[in-house]
Amino acid sequence: MTVVSVCGDKGRKRVAGAVLATALLCTGAVACQGSDGGKKTKGAGSGETQSRSQVTEVITAAYKKTSAAKSAKVEMTMSMPSKMDGGGTMKMSGVMGWDPTVMDMTMTGSALTAGDPDAPEKVRMLWRDNVMYMDMGEAAAKGMGMGMDGKRWMKMDLNAIAEQAGDPKLAKQMTGGLDSMNQDPAQQLALLLDSPNLKHVGSAKVDGVQTQRYKGRLTVKEMMESNEGLDDVLSKSERDELFKGIEKSGIKGYDTEVWVNEDDYPVRMDIDVKSPEGTMKTSQKFSDYGAAAKVTAPPAKETFDLMEMFKELGELGKDGAGSGADSGF
């Protein structure tokens, strides 16, 4: 891991900025009725193209099985066009639970470092109780200074951040981020069922496993109307404002593909979002459904609070204004 030597208030701010950018990358952030998920889905093992009713039956069963499993091992690759801020690729692997939301993931990739020498090349991220903990490594911890040496785990409490901002609605939005469709495979499947052009593409193998492949597309409006979770955090006027903002960005819709195995579990799911700057791609592979997803917070003595650090930096900035406090380089 490459971390530049830093000293003084400016150095700490550089490292803190890199830490915050890394954290924000990770927060970027439903129910349906159907047939009995315990039955083998009709046509799931067939090489022939399935009818719409068969497709609906397969995806519904996959939703029910995935929802009941509540956790799985995950390998995820996210890529953003170079024209976008924060463009690049990030890979995540580990275990994830979605009822409740918990994560223990390791992240790598160019989107994580973004060309910043202060950013760690690999970060372990824990998530529980709406709090994110990120292991920034020994070098980054030393660079923080301010009595934080040895405290390599950064704590990012989304409730506290939103409270500090004085916006209760922001709190709901932030804490609901990792329960959104981009993180919970069961919700992704539920949304896919609402695609008017959902279809069976054919059979395919994923890492040697025989699967059936399905594809659907949702416009931004269809996605927002289908995502019932938005009702919990946004009023109608706020939803309308969000929709206008997304439309203005040039994003037209979400293309989703899912590969379902013979046990009715999705083993791979890809989501493409097209924009004027290019296509944002997310590819997830799932295995070991029901795997233990218990996450224990790091010891308090090894943890520093991101918000507290920025408060202290703010105070240092005030105290050092006009006094040459930044001249320690």
Side-chain angles (χ1 to χ4, degrees):
M1 181 183 300
T2 303
V3 179
V4 296
S5 175
V6 294
C7 62
D9 189 19
K10 280 185 178 178
R12 287 188 289 270
K13 286 182 178 178
R14 269 212 316 271
V15 177
V19 171
L20 180 60
T22 301
L24 293 177
L25 267 173
C26 306
T27 55
V30 178
C32 85
Q33 303 297 321
S35 60
D36 183 0
K39 296 179 181 179
K40 191 68 65 179
T41 51
K42 182 179 179 182
S46 170
E48 300 178 359
T49 300
Q50 299 167 10
S51 66
R52 173 68 194 215
S53 62
Q54 288 175 317
V55 170
T56 300
E57 186 179 357
V58 171
I59 301 302
T60 298
Y63 162 78
K64 297 184 77 172
K65 293 284 286 282
T66 304
S67 183
K70 297 186 179 181
S71 63
K73 290 183 179 179
V74 183
E75 292 183 11
M76 183 189 305
T77 300
M78 304 170 67
S79 62
M80 297 178 66
S82 57
K83 292 181 180 180
M84 286 186 171
D85 290 337
T89 300
M90 182 168 69
K91 294 185 177 181
M92 304 172 66
S93 63
V95 64
M96 175 173 68
W98 43 89
D99 186 17
T101 300
V102 293
M103 285 189 180
D104 186 345
M105 309 281 275
T106 299
M107 304 174 292
T108 60
S110 59
L112 196 65
T113 58
D116 189 334
D118 292 334
E121 295 178 354
K122 180 172 71 173
V123 172
R124 183 183 176 196
M125 184 267 286
L126 306 178
W127 177 285
R128 57 167 288 166
D129 301 329
N130 294 325
V131 179
M132 179 191 298
Y133 301 90
M134 303 181 72
D135 183 358
M136 308 308 296
E138 271 185 52
K142 288 180 180 178
M144 290 294 181
M146 298 175 61
M148 296 179 183
D149 289 349
K151 295 184 178 182
R152 56 189 295 163
W153 286 93
M154 181 205 73
K155 175 182 177 181
M156 187 175 178
D157 187 331
L158 300 189
N159 280 318
I161 292 173
E163 185 179 343
Q164 182 70 22
D167 188 346
K169 290 181 180 178
L170 176 62
K172 287 186 177 180
Q173 292 174 14
M174 293 182 75
T175 56
L178 288 182
D179 291 322
S180 69
M181 59 166 281
N182 288 327
Q183 301 295 336
D184 181 343
Q187 290 188 17
Q188 291 172 337
L189 291 167
L191 290 172
L192 187 59
L193 278 167
D194 286 323
S195 172
N197 53 20
L198 176 62
K199 64 181 180 180
H200 176 232
V201 179
S203 60
K205 283 192 175 183
V206 177
D207 295 334
V209 176
Q210 187 63 48
T211 70
Q212 297 299 318
R213 183 180 177 188
Y214 302 86
K215 185 175 185 178
R217 190 171 200 272
L218 283 171
T219 64
V220 172
K221 185 176 182 180
E222 289 168 342
M223 185 277 293
M224 294 183 66
E225 289 175 348
S226 299
N227 192 345
E228 296 176 4
L230 290 176
D231 294 332
D232 297 331
V233 297
L234 299 176
S235 65
K236 184 181 183 303
S237 61
E238 288 169 334
R239 286 168 65 101
D240 291 342
E241 186 177 346
L242 175 61
F243 175 61
K244 289 178 182 177
I246 296 175
E247 270 198 325
K248 189 176 179 180
S249 73
I251 294 175
K252 301 299 183 183
Y254 303 80
D255 293 312
T256 301
E257 291 187 68
V258 59
W259 289 255
V260 180
N261 68 14
E262 294 180 351
D263 293 322
D264 297 332
Y265 285 114
V267 296
R268 177 179 169 182
M269 192 175 295
D270 290 2
I271 299 176
D272 288 358
V273 181
K274 294 187 171 95
S275 74
E277 291 85 6
T279 302
M280 296 171 281
K281 295 178 175 288
T282 302
S283 182
Q284 304 169 90
K285 288 185 179 181
F286 303 97
S287 62
D288 296 311
Y289 279 92
K294 295 181 180 179
V295 175
T296 302
K301 64 180 181 180
E302 298 177 11
T303 304
F304 64 90
D305 191 303
L306 183 67
M307 285 303 295
E308 291 300 319
M309 183 181 66
F310 273 101
K311 284 180 185 178
E312 291 189 38
L313 284 172
E315 290 302 315
L316 282 176
K318 292 177 184 177
D319 295 342
S323 64
D326 285 335
S327 62
F329 273 105

